[in-house]
Amino acid sequence: MERDLVDVVWDDLHERVGEDLRTVVQYDAGSSVVQFRPDVEEQYEMTERQQILDDAIVQQLSFSDQGSVFKTGELRSFVRVFDEAWVLTWREPSNVKAGFLISIQRDGEVATMADVEYCVQYLDSEIEPRL
């Protein structure tokens, strides 16, 4: 994993949603590269961060089953809606245990659910070819 790729994703998404961008994480089964908004970084211990990534990987293991069950096409990502944030996990197509986790402030000044959808399209079109 490249630090530069996380920085590119952060910069591109930050340009769209500004300070509503909370976190960009690229991860695989053994490591991660993270960019946090400073106030968000202060909220999580290292063990909590790892627990979140482990959970994202476990979720992704069910990706292949979901598309056939719902008969709505390929599953692109998971979006969790919390009181204060949308948390998007996007799986790398070539690695079931790798991907990106992006968190956007839900009650912020700029971001909307359309921006969450934009993140999926952005990862599919701009980042997937670089992996």
Side-chain angles (χ1 to χ4, degrees), residues 59-75:
Q59 274 189 330
Q60 287 177 190
L61 293 173
S62 69
F63 261 46
S64 59
D65 296 340
Q66 295 293 313
S68 62
V69 170
F70 287 96
K71 299 179 184 178
T72 56
E74 184 179 346
L75 179 62

Side-chain angles (χ1 to χ4, degrees), residues 67-111:
S68 62
V69 170
F70 287 96
K71 299 179 184 178
T72 56
E74 184 179 346
L75 179 62
R76 308 304 303 168
S77 64
F78 286 100
V79 177
R80 294 180 184 175
V81 180
F82 295 93
D83 290 338
E84 297 177 11
W86 291 290
V87 177
L88 164 80
T89 51
W90 178 87
R91 186 190 77 156
E92 285 186 20
S94 63
N95 185 348
V96 73
K97 294 183 180 180
F100 278 82
L101 183 144
I102 297 170
S103 176
I104 297 175
Q105 196 72 32
R106 190 164 168 236
D107 59 353
E109 298 294 320
V110 177

